[in-house]
Amino acid sequence: MAILRTKCDPADPVYQDNRRAYQALLDDLYRKYEWALGGGGARMIGRHHARGKILVRDRIDLLVDPLTPFMELSPLAAWGLYDNEVPSAGIVTGIGTIRGVTCVIIANDATVKGGSFFRETVRKHIRAQDIALENRLPVVYLVDCGGANLKNLEDVFPDQEHFGGTFYRQCRMSAEGLPQIAAVFGECTAGGAYIPALADEFVMVAGNASIHLGGPQIVRAAIRETVDRDTLGGALMHSTVSGVSDYCAADEREAIARLRDMVGALNYPQPLAGDIRIPRAPLYDPAELPGIVGTDLSRPLDQREIIARIVDGSEFHEFKPQFATTIVCGFAHIEGLPVGIVANNGVLFSETTLKAVHFIELCDQRGVPLLFLQNTTGFMVGSDAERGGISKHSAKLVYAVSNTRVPRYTLVTGGSYGAGNYGMSGRGFRPRFMFMWPNARLGGMNPDVGSSVLMDLRRASISRHPATEEELAAYEAELRAMFETKSDPYYCTARIWDDGIIDPRDTRKVLALCLATGAMRPEIPGNRPVYRM
């Protein structure tokens, strides 16, 4: 297979400037990670420990197999929302290996608002369940949940994709044979009680864990009965009297050990399918990516430089390399796992979309998963583009992406604007996983175009709504700031429009975990022709 050759020179002043500028972005990313890891703060963590409880991420460390990774999803959910008082939306989700079985893990952080559910908590919980369903993974729930946040019920309770949707998914997954396993570490009241109650098998921790549809306060208000929490729904009562719980553990470590035993008894083999090869490192160091990418999205970037640093041996069989060069398509392996790559090298023209559609159909026929590397301002506009059928051809790309049967993965390496986001497997098209780099931007229009369009509309209404040049300039600055803010990667990840912002240097590792997860549920190739557009 052909080997990609880099044009990167680390001694180049441009590279050095890019590296320094990108380091500032990475420093900011890791400061925000510290916010996420800090949970509810020192006071709440102290209270948590005083009750003999282990912090949520430490529970996960004890749960997953030694020396295996845990891929945390959306750690910066709720960043900038609720006065930054709900780190990670009060819940930790991700993928890890337990007794050799790859599982989705959903864990409440009781140091953050008692583990109660906000809008983003629900979205994150549902997103993790959808990943489990699509990839046929067991789900392990580490429950320490106060139910829905009562001050935000309109955002978490009544709608289809609200709190009830988590229980619906749990029931459907169990019915489809996807194991649902849980451990209860704290108080689970109201809706929180259904998470373990709907599990196939679960354990409770004596002393701290309790399950009840209505807590002592609700019982007293509703039926005038005074009862303490343990008597009402403690671990011992539910394990020896009601039979709601399957096991009672003396402490959290015993409960986690019991969880590992439950997963070990699942009889749930997960063989990998496809052309699996011995992994080989790229020829070029992924640590060079920040210096190559930089922070200026207006500067052209050859995605082959990125590909050369994430694929095995920097080997890349490029498809139609001399045609429609604003898109790069080709076959490669990442950590031994096969992948077809579709990467933007500029705006999407008619011929670009046809090339991408042809390649997507090849991958679909061969059962090769697809990786989309997004960096585009969108589809070409103008009279020439319309005469060339850009509306029709871009629709073909959208159709091909929507209907391909192989797993799709998306990484935003630069700009992702307008319908280009759709054609390149944006979040609306349900890729298995989607990540962004800290330099990336995502929006309906880039700030230059968006502010220009709205300024033209404002100037067109000047006769009806007079304004001075100073007022117009202020309005334009306000528009640009709005577009900049709403396309910022942290604005996106806070609302769970992606699965997380990742350090470019970790891209190969993250993508390998995603590809391995998808390879456990292979799609059957064949039975579909390749239609040459």
Short mmCIF file of all heavy atoms in Angstrom, two decimals, residues 71 95 102 131 135 137 270-276 310-312 331-341 363 367-373 406-410 432-435 507-523:
data_model
loop_
_atom_site.label_atom_id
_atom_site.label_comp_id
_atom_site.label_asym_id
_atom_site.label_seq_id
_atom_site.Cartn_x
_atom_site.Cartn_y
_atom_site.Cartn_z
N MET A 71 -12.76 5.05 28.05
CA MET A 71 -12.97 6.19 27.16
C MET A 71 -14.16 6.99 27.66
O MET A 71 -15.32 6.64 27.41
CB MET A 71 -13.20 5.73 25.72
CG MET A 71 -13.32 6.89 24.73
SD MET A 71 -13.34 6.36 23.00
CE MET A 71 -14.97 5.64 22.88
N ILE A 95 -16.89 4.05 27.88
CA ILE A 95 -16.74 2.65 27.47
C ILE A 95 -15.49 2.08 28.13
O ILE A 95 -14.42 2.68 28.07
CB ILE A 95 -16.66 2.53 25.94
CG1 ILE A 95 -17.97 3.00 25.31
CG2 ILE A 95 -16.35 1.10 25.51
CD1 ILE A 95 -17.96 3.03 23.81
N THR A 102 -16.39 -5.65 26.87
CA THR A 102 -16.52 -4.22 26.64
C THR A 102 -17.93 -3.78 26.97
O THR A 102 -18.90 -4.32 26.44
CB THR A 102 -16.18 -3.87 25.18
OG1 THR A 102 -14.84 -4.26 24.90
CG2 THR A 102 -16.32 -2.37 24.94
N ILE A 131 -25.51 4.52 22.34
CA ILE A 131 -24.25 3.91 21.92
C ILE A 131 -24.25 2.42 22.23
O ILE A 131 -23.85 1.59 21.42
CB ILE A 131 -23.06 4.63 22.60
CG1 ILE A 131 -22.87 6.03 21.99
CG2 ILE A 131 -21.78 3.81 22.46
CD1 ILE A 131 -21.88 6.89 22.75
N ASN A 135 -24.15 -0.49 19.30
CA ASN A 135 -22.95 -1.33 19.26
C ASN A 135 -23.12 -2.66 20.00
O ASN A 135 -22.16 -3.42 20.11
CB ASN A 135 -21.77 -0.56 19.85
CG ASN A 135 -21.35 0.61 18.99
OD1 ASN A 135 -20.68 0.45 17.99
ND2 ASN A 135 -21.75 1.81 19.39
N LEU A 137 -23.67 -3.44 23.24
CA LEU A 137 -22.83 -3.53 24.42
C LEU A 137 -23.67 -3.65 25.69
O LEU A 137 -24.70 -2.99 25.81
CB LEU A 137 -21.93 -2.28 24.54
CG LEU A 137 -21.00 -1.97 23.38
CD1 LEU A 137 -20.23 -0.70 23.66
CD2 LEU A 137 -20.05 -3.14 23.13
N GLN A 270 -17.49 -11.33 22.45
CA GLN A 270 -17.45 -10.16 21.56
C GLN A 270 -16.30 -10.29 20.56
O GLN A 270 -15.32 -9.54 20.60
CB GLN A 270 -17.28 -8.88 22.38
CG GLN A 270 -18.45 -8.58 23.30
CD GLN A 270 -18.17 -7.40 24.22
OE1 GLN A 270 -17.08 -7.30 24.81
NE2 GLN A 270 -19.12 -6.48 24.35
N PRO A 271 -16.39 -11.23 19.63
CA PRO A 271 -15.31 -11.39 18.65
C PRO A 271 -15.25 -10.21 17.69
O PRO A 271 -16.28 -9.64 17.31
CB PRO A 271 -15.70 -12.68 17.92
CG PRO A 271 -17.20 -12.74 18.05
CD PRO A 271 -17.51 -12.16 19.40
N LEU A 272 -14.04 -9.82 17.31
CA LEU A 272 -13.86 -8.76 16.32
C LEU A 272 -13.98 -9.33 14.92
O LEU A 272 -13.53 -10.45 14.65
CB LEU A 272 -12.49 -8.10 16.48
CG LEU A 272 -12.23 -7.32 17.77
CD1 LEU A 272 -10.81 -6.77 17.77
CD2 LEU A 272 -13.23 -6.18 17.93
N ALA A 273 -14.60 -8.58 14.02
CA ALA A 273 -14.76 -9.01 12.63
C ALA A 273 -14.03 -8.05 11.71
O ALA A 273 -13.82 -6.89 12.03
CB ALA A 273 -16.25 -9.05 12.28
N GLY A 274 -13.68 -8.56 10.54
CA GLY A 274 -13.03 -7.71 9.55
C GLY A 274 -11.58 -8.11 9.34
O GLY A 274 -11.06 -9.07 9.93
N ASP A 275 -10.91 -7.34 8.51
CA ASP A 275 -9.51 -7.59 8.16
C ASP A 275 -8.61 -7.02 9.27
O ASP A 275 -8.02 -5.96 9.12
CB ASP A 275 -9.20 -6.95 6.81
CG ASP A 275 -7.75 -7.15 6.38
OD1 ASP A 275 -7.10 -8.06 6.93
OD2 ASP A 275 -7.27 -6.37 5.53
N ILE A 276 -8.53 -7.75 10.38
CA ILE A 276 -7.76 -7.29 11.53
C ILE A 276 -6.29 -7.65 11.32
O ILE A 276 -5.95 -8.81 11.05
CB ILE A 276 -8.27 -7.92 12.84
CG1 ILE A 276 -9.80 -7.80 12.94
CG2 ILE A 276 -7.58 -7.26 14.04
CD1 ILE A 276 -10.31 -6.39 12.95
N ILE A 310 -2.14 9.20 11.93
CA ILE A 310 -3.09 8.40 12.70
C ILE A 310 -3.25 6.98 12.15
O ILE A 310 -3.77 6.12 12.86
CB ILE A 310 -4.48 9.07 12.78
CG1 ILE A 310 -5.12 9.23 11.41
CG2 ILE A 310 -4.38 10.40 13.49
CD1 ILE A 310 -6.56 9.76 11.47
N VAL A 311 -2.79 6.71 10.91
CA VAL A 311 -3.01 5.37 10.33
C VAL A 311 -1.75 4.53 10.44
O VAL A 311 -0.63 5.05 10.52
CB VAL A 311 -3.49 5.45 8.86
CG1 VAL A 311 -4.77 6.28 8.76
CG2 VAL A 311 -2.40 6.03 7.95
N ASP A 312 -1.94 3.23 10.43
CA ASP A 312 -0.83 2.28 10.59
C ASP A 312 0.19 2.44 9.47
O ASP A 312 -0.16 2.39 8.27
CB ASP A 312 -1.37 0.85 10.59
CG ASP A 312 -2.16 0.52 11.84
OD1 ASP A 312 -2.37 1.42 12.68
OD2 ASP A 312 -2.56 -0.65 11.99
N PHE A 331 -8.39 4.01 1.76
CA PHE A 331 -8.45 2.91 2.71
C PHE A 331 -7.17 2.86 3.54
O PHE A 331 -6.08 3.15 3.04
CB PHE A 331 -8.61 1.58 1.96
CG PHE A 331 -9.89 1.47 1.17
CD1 PHE A 331 -9.91 1.74 -0.19
CD2 PHE A 331 -11.07 1.10 1.80
CE1 PHE A 331 -11.08 1.63 -0.92
CE2 PHE A 331 -12.26 1.00 1.08
CZ PHE A 331 -12.26 1.27 -0.29
N ALA A 332 -7.32 2.48 4.81
CA ALA A 332 -6.18 2.38 5.71
C ALA A 332 -6.55 1.47 6.88
O ALA A 332 -7.65 0.90 6.93
CB ALA A 332 -5.77 3.77 6.21
N HIS A 333 -5.63 1.35 7.84
CA HIS A 333 -5.88 0.65 9.11
C HIS A 333 -5.46 1.57 10.25
O HIS A 333 -4.49 2.33 10.12
CB HIS A 333 -5.10 -0.66 9.18
CG HIS A 333 -5.74 -1.79 8.44
ND1 HIS A 333 -5.77 -1.84 7.06
CD2 HIS A 333 -6.37 -2.92 8.87
CE1 HIS A 333 -6.40 -2.96 6.67
NE2 HIS A 333 -6.77 -3.63 7.75
N ILE A 334 -6.18 1.49 11.35
CA ILE A 334 -5.81 2.21 12.57
C ILE A 334 -5.73 1.19 13.70
O ILE A 334 -6.73 0.54 14.02
CB ILE A 334 -6.83 3.32 12.90
CG1 ILE A 334 -6.84 4.39 11.80
CG2 ILE A 334 -6.53 3.95 14.26
CD1 ILE A 334 -7.87 5.49 12.01
N GLU A 335 -4.54 1.03 14.26
CA GLU A 335 -4.29 -0.01 15.29
C GLU A 335 -4.78 -1.38 14.81
O GLU A 335 -5.39 -2.14 15.56
CB GLU A 335 -4.93 0.37 16.61
CG GLU A 335 -4.30 1.56 17.31
CD GLU A 335 -2.93 1.27 17.91
OE1 GLU A 335 -2.46 0.11 17.79
OE2 GLU A 335 -2.33 2.19 18.49
N GLY A 336 -4.53 -1.66 13.54
CA GLY A 336 -4.87 -2.95 12.97
C GLY A 336 -6.29 -3.11 12.50
O GLY A 336 -6.66 -4.16 11.96
N LEU A 337 -7.11 -2.07 12.65
CA LEU A 337 -8.53 -2.14 12.29
C LEU A 337 -8.78 -1.41 10.98
O LEU A 337 -8.35 -0.26 10.80
CB LEU A 337 -9.37 -1.53 13.40
CG LEU A 337 -9.27 -2.25 14.75
CD1 LEU A 337 -9.63 -1.33 15.89
CD2 LEU A 337 -10.17 -3.49 14.76
N PRO A 338 -9.51 -2.02 10.03
CA PRO A 338 -9.71 -1.39 8.72
C PRO A 338 -10.63 -0.19 8.81
O PRO A 338 -11.57 -0.16 9.62
CB PRO A 338 -10.36 -2.51 7.89
CG PRO A 338 -11.03 -3.38 8.91
CD PRO A 338 -10.17 -3.33 10.14
N VAL A 339 -10.38 0.80 7.94
CA VAL A 339 -11.20 2.00 7.92
C VAL A 339 -11.11 2.65 6.55
O VAL A 339 -10.07 2.61 5.89
CB VAL A 339 -10.75 2.99 9.03
CG1 VAL A 339 -9.33 3.51 8.79
CG2 VAL A 339 -11.72 4.15 9.17
N GLY A 340 -12.24 3.22 6.10
CA GLY A 340 -12.25 4.07 4.92
C GLY A 340 -12.37 5.51 5.37
O GLY A 340 -13.21 5.83 6.22
N ILE A 341 -11.53 6.38 4.83
CA ILE A 341 -11.47 7.77 5.30
C ILE A 341 -11.98 8.71 4.22
O ILE A 341 -11.60 8.60 3.05
CB ILE A 341 -10.03 8.14 5.70
CG1 ILE A 341 -9.55 7.24 6.84
CG2 ILE A 341 -9.95 9.61 6.12
CD1 ILE A 341 -8.10 7.44 7.23
N CYS A 363 -17.14 1.27 0.38
CA CYS A 363 -16.99 0.85 1.78
C CYS A 363 -18.21 0.06 2.24
O CYS A 363 -18.09 -0.93 2.96
CB CYS A 363 -16.77 2.07 2.68
SG CYS A 363 -15.16 2.86 2.44
N GLY A 367 -17.98 -3.73 3.55
CA GLY A 367 -18.08 -3.82 5.01
C GLY A 367 -16.97 -3.09 5.73
O GLY A 367 -16.58 -3.48 6.84
N VAL A 368 -16.48 -2.00 5.16
CA VAL A 368 -15.39 -1.23 5.77
C VAL A 368 -15.98 0.00 6.47
O VAL A 368 -16.66 0.80 5.83
CB VAL A 368 -14.37 -0.77 4.70
CG1 VAL A 368 -13.28 0.09 5.33
CG2 VAL A 368 -13.76 -1.98 4.00
N PRO A 369 -15.75 0.18 7.76
CA PRO A 369 -16.29 1.35 8.46
C PRO A 369 -15.70 2.64 7.93
O PRO A 369 -14.60 2.66 7.36
CB PRO A 369 -15.89 1.12 9.93
CG PRO A 369 -14.75 0.17 9.87
CD PRO A 369 -14.97 -0.69 8.66
N LEU A 370 -16.43 3.73 8.12
CA LEU A 370 -16.07 5.03 7.54
C LEU A 370 -15.68 6.03 8.62
O LEU A 370 -16.36 6.14 9.65
CB LEU A 370 -17.23 5.59 6.73
CG LEU A 370 -17.44 4.98 5.34
CD1 LEU A 370 -18.89 5.14 4.89
CD2 LEU A 370 -16.49 5.64 4.33
N LEU A 371 -14.61 6.77 8.36
CA LEU A 371 -14.19 7.87 9.21
C LEU A 371 -14.26 9.16 8.40
O LEU A 371 -13.62 9.27 7.34
CB LEU A 371 -12.77 7.64 9.73
CG LEU A 371 -12.09 8.84 10.41
CD1 LEU A 371 -12.84 9.25 11.67
CD2 LEU A 371 -10.62 8.52 10.71
N PHE A 372 -15.02 10.14 8.88
CA PHE A 372 -15.14 11.44 8.23
C PHE A 372 -14.30 12.46 8.99
O PHE A 372 -14.50 12.64 10.21
CB PHE A 372 -16.60 11.89 8.18
CG PHE A 372 -17.47 11.07 7.27
CD1 PHE A 372 -18.00 9.87 7.71
CD2 PHE A 372 -17.75 11.49 5.98
CE1 PHE A 372 -18.79 9.09 6.88
CE2 PHE A 372 -18.54 10.72 5.14
CZ PHE A 372 -19.07 9.52 5.58
N LEU A 373 -13.38 13.11 8.29
CA LEU A 373 -12.58 14.19 8.87
C LEU A 373 -13.10 15.51 8.31
O LEU A 373 -12.87 15.83 7.14
CB LEU A 373 -11.09 14.01 8.54
CG LEU A 373 -10.45 12.69 9.00
CD1 LEU A 373 -8.98 12.66 8.60
CD2 LEU A 373 -10.59 12.50 10.50
N VAL A 406 -22.49 0.47 7.11
CA VAL A 406 -21.29 0.29 7.94
C VAL A 406 -21.23 1.37 9.01
O VAL A 406 -21.81 2.45 8.87
CB VAL A 406 -20.02 0.34 7.06
CG1 VAL A 406 -20.02 -0.81 6.07
CG2 VAL A 406 -19.88 1.68 6.34
N PRO A 407 -20.53 1.09 10.11
CA PRO A 407 -20.36 2.12 11.15
C PRO A 407 -19.66 3.35 10.61
O PRO A 407 -18.77 3.26 9.77
CB PRO A 407 -19.50 1.42 12.20
CG PRO A 407 -19.69 -0.04 11.96
CD PRO A 407 -19.90 -0.19 10.49
N ARG A 408 -20.11 4.51 11.09
CA ARG A 408 -19.51 5.79 10.71
C ARG A 408 -18.99 6.50 11.95
O ARG A 408 -19.62 6.47 13.01
CB ARG A 408 -20.53 6.68 10.00
CG ARG A 408 -20.90 6.23 8.61
CD ARG A 408 -21.97 7.11 7.99
NE ARG A 408 -23.31 6.85 8.54
CZ ARG A 408 -23.97 7.65 9.33
NH1 ARG A 408 -23.44 8.81 9.72
NH2 ARG A 408 -25.18 7.34 9.78
N TYR A 409 -17.85 7.16 11.79
CA TYR A 409 -17.22 7.92 12.88
C TYR A 409 -16.84 9.28 12.32
O TYR A 409 -16.42 9.38 11.16
CB TYR A 409 -15.99 7.18 13.40
CG TYR A 409 -16.29 5.75 13.77
CD1 TYR A 409 -16.14 4.72 12.82
CD2 TYR A 409 -16.77 5.41 15.02
CE1 TYR A 409 -16.45 3.41 13.13
CE2 TYR A 409 -17.07 4.10 15.35
CZ TYR A 409 -16.91 3.10 14.40
OH TYR A 409 -17.24 1.80 14.70
N THR A 410 -16.97 10.32 13.13
CA THR A 410 -16.75 11.68 12.65
C THR A 410 -15.83 12.43 13.58
O THR A 410 -15.99 12.37 14.81
CB THR A 410 -18.09 12.43 12.52
OG1 THR A 410 -18.94 11.72 11.61
CG2 THR A 410 -17.87 13.83 11.98
N ARG A 432 -21.55 6.75 14.81
CA ARG A 432 -21.38 5.98 16.06
C ARG A 432 -20.75 6.85 17.15
O ARG A 432 -21.15 6.79 18.31
CB ARG A 432 -20.50 4.76 15.81
CG ARG A 432 -21.10 3.72 14.86
CD ARG A 432 -22.18 2.88 15.54
NE ARG A 432 -22.74 1.91 14.61
CZ ARG A 432 -22.41 0.63 14.57
NH1 ARG A 432 -21.48 0.16 15.40
NH2 ARG A 432 -22.98 -0.19 13.71
N PHE A 433 -19.73 7.63 16.75
CA PHE A 433 -19.08 8.58 17.67
C PHE A 433 -18.71 9.82 16.88
O PHE A 433 -18.39 9.74 15.69
CB PHE A 433 -17.82 7.98 18.31
CG PHE A 433 -18.08 6.81 19.21
CD1 PHE A 433 -17.99 5.52 18.71
CD2 PHE A 433 -18.39 6.99 20.55
CE1 PHE A 433 -18.22 4.43 19.53
CE2 PHE A 433 -18.62 5.91 21.38
CZ PHE A 433 -18.54 4.62 20.88
N MET A 434 -18.71 10.96 17.57
CA MET A 434 -18.27 12.21 16.95
C MET A 434 -17.46 13.02 17.96
O MET A 434 -17.92 13.25 19.09
CB MET A 434 -19.47 13.03 16.48
CG MET A 434 -19.10 14.40 15.91
SD MET A 434 -20.52 15.24 15.19
CE MET A 434 -19.84 16.89 14.98
N PHE A 435 -16.27 13.44 17.55
CA PHE A 435 -15.40 14.21 18.42
C PHE A 435 -14.96 15.48 17.70
O PHE A 435 -15.02 15.58 16.47
CB PHE A 435 -14.16 13.39 18.81
CG PHE A 435 -14.49 12.15 19.62
CD1 PHE A 435 -14.61 10.92 18.99
CD2 PHE A 435 -14.69 12.23 20.98
CE1 PHE A 435 -14.92 9.77 19.71
CE2 PHE A 435 -15.00 11.09 21.71
CZ PHE A 435 -15.11 9.86 21.09
N THR A 507 -5.74 11.31 19.13
CA THR A 507 -6.75 10.94 18.13
C THR A 507 -6.65 9.48 17.72
O THR A 507 -7.67 8.77 17.65
CB THR A 507 -6.61 11.84 16.89
OG1 THR A 507 -6.82 13.20 17.27
CG2 THR A 507 -7.62 11.45 15.82
N ARG A 508 -5.47 9.00 17.46
CA ARG A 508 -5.30 7.60 17.01
C ARG A 508 -5.83 6.63 18.06
O ARG A 508 -6.54 5.66 17.73
CB ARG A 508 -3.81 7.35 16.71
CG ARG A 508 -3.48 5.91 16.35
CD ARG A 508 -2.00 5.81 15.97
NE ARG A 508 -1.51 4.44 16.05
CZ ARG A 508 -1.63 3.54 15.08
NH1 ARG A 508 -2.24 3.85 13.96
NH2 ARG A 508 -1.13 2.33 15.22
N LYS A 509 -5.53 6.89 19.34
CA LYS A 509 -5.99 6.00 20.42
C LYS A 509 -7.52 6.02 20.52
O LYS A 509 -8.16 4.98 20.65
CB LYS A 509 -5.38 6.43 21.75
CG LYS A 509 -3.86 6.39 21.80
CD LYS A 509 -3.37 6.97 23.11
CE LYS A 509 -1.85 7.07 23.13
NZ LYS A 509 -1.37 7.73 24.37
N VAL A 510 -8.09 7.22 20.46
CA VAL A 510 -9.54 7.34 20.59
C VAL A 510 -10.25 6.65 19.43
O VAL A 510 -11.21 5.90 19.62
CB VAL A 510 -9.95 8.83 20.68
CG1 VAL A 510 -11.46 8.97 20.61
CG2 VAL A 510 -9.41 9.45 21.97
N LEU A 511 -9.76 6.89 18.21
CA LEU A 511 -10.39 6.28 17.04
C LEU A 511 -10.25 4.76 17.07
O LEU A 511 -11.17 4.03 16.67
CB LEU A 511 -9.78 6.84 15.76
CG LEU A 511 -10.08 8.31 15.45
CD1 LEU A 511 -9.34 8.75 14.19
CD2 LEU A 511 -11.58 8.54 15.28
N ALA A 512 -9.12 4.25 17.55
CA ALA A 512 -8.94 2.81 17.63
C ALA A 512 -9.96 2.18 18.58
O ALA A 512 -10.54 1.12 18.28
CB ALA A 512 -7.52 2.48 18.09
N LEU A 513 -10.22 2.82 19.72
CA LEU A 513 -11.23 2.31 20.65
C LEU A 513 -12.61 2.31 20.01
O LEU A 513 -13.40 1.37 20.18
CB LEU A 513 -11.23 3.16 21.92
CG LEU A 513 -10.03 2.97 22.85
CD1 LEU A 513 -10.02 4.06 23.92
CD2 LEU A 513 -10.06 1.59 23.50
N CYS A 514 -12.91 3.37 19.26
CA CYS A 514 -14.21 3.45 18.58
C CYS A 514 -14.35 2.37 17.52
O CYS A 514 -15.38 1.70 17.42
CB CYS A 514 -14.38 4.83 17.95
SG CYS A 514 -14.48 6.20 19.12
N LEU A 515 -13.31 2.20 16.71
CA LEU A 515 -13.35 1.19 15.65
C LEU A 515 -13.46 -0.22 16.23
O LEU A 515 -14.20 -1.07 15.69
CB LEU A 515 -12.10 1.30 14.78
CG LEU A 515 -12.03 2.52 13.85
CD1 LEU A 515 -10.62 2.70 13.30
CD2 LEU A 515 -13.03 2.40 12.71
N ALA A 516 -12.75 -0.47 17.32
CA ALA A 516 -12.83 -1.79 17.95
C ALA A 516 -14.23 -2.05 18.49
O ALA A 516 -14.76 -3.17 18.38
CB ALA A 516 -11.80 -1.89 19.08
N THR A 517 -14.86 -1.02 19.05
CA THR A 517 -16.22 -1.16 19.55
C THR A 517 -17.18 -1.50 18.41
O THR A 517 -18.02 -2.40 18.53
CB THR A 517 -16.67 0.14 20.24
OG1 THR A 517 -15.80 0.41 21.33
CG2 THR A 517 -18.09 0.03 20.75
N GLY A 518 -17.05 -0.81 17.29
CA GLY A 518 -17.91 -1.07 16.14
C GLY A 518 -17.65 -2.42 15.50
O GLY A 518 -18.57 -3.04 14.95
N ALA A 519 -16.40 -2.91 15.58
CA ALA A 519 -16.06 -4.19 14.95
C ALA A 519 -16.66 -5.38 15.68
O ALA A 519 -16.66 -6.50 15.17
CB ALA A 519 -14.54 -4.35 14.89
N MET A 520 -17.21 -5.14 16.89
CA MET A 520 -17.86 -6.24 17.62
C MET A 520 -19.26 -6.52 17.10
O MET A 520 -19.86 -7.53 17.45
CB MET A 520 -17.94 -5.87 19.11
CG MET A 520 -16.60 -5.75 19.78
SD MET A 520 -16.77 -5.16 21.46
CE MET A 520 -15.07 -4.78 21.85
N ARG A 521 -19.78 -5.59 16.31
CA ARG A 521 -21.09 -5.84 15.69
C ARG A 521 -20.96 -5.56 14.20
O ARG A 521 -21.37 -4.51 13.70
CB ARG A 521 -22.16 -4.93 16.30
CG ARG A 521 -23.56 -5.29 15.78
CD ARG A 521 -24.57 -4.20 16.08
NE ARG A 521 -25.87 -4.55 15.53
CZ ARG A 521 -26.91 -3.73 15.48
NH1 ARG A 521 -26.82 -2.52 15.94
NH2 ARG A 521 -28.05 -4.13 14.96
N PRO A 522 -20.37 -6.48 13.44
CA PRO A 522 -20.10 -6.20 12.03
C PRO A 522 -21.37 -6.14 11.20
O PRO A 522 -22.36 -6.82 11.48
CB PRO A 522 -19.24 -7.39 11.61
CG PRO A 522 -19.67 -8.50 12.52
CD PRO A 522 -19.98 -7.83 13.84
N GLU A 523 -21.33 -5.30 10.18
CA GLU A 523 -22.40 -5.26 9.19
C GLU A 523 -22.04 -6.23 8.06
O GLU A 523 -20.88 -6.39 7.71
CB GLU A 523 -22.57 -3.84 8.63
CG GLU A 523 -22.84 -2.79 9.70
CD GLU A 523 -24.16 -3.01 10.42
OE1 GLU A 523 -25.06 -3.62 9.81
OE2 GLU A 523 -24.28 -2.59 11.57
#
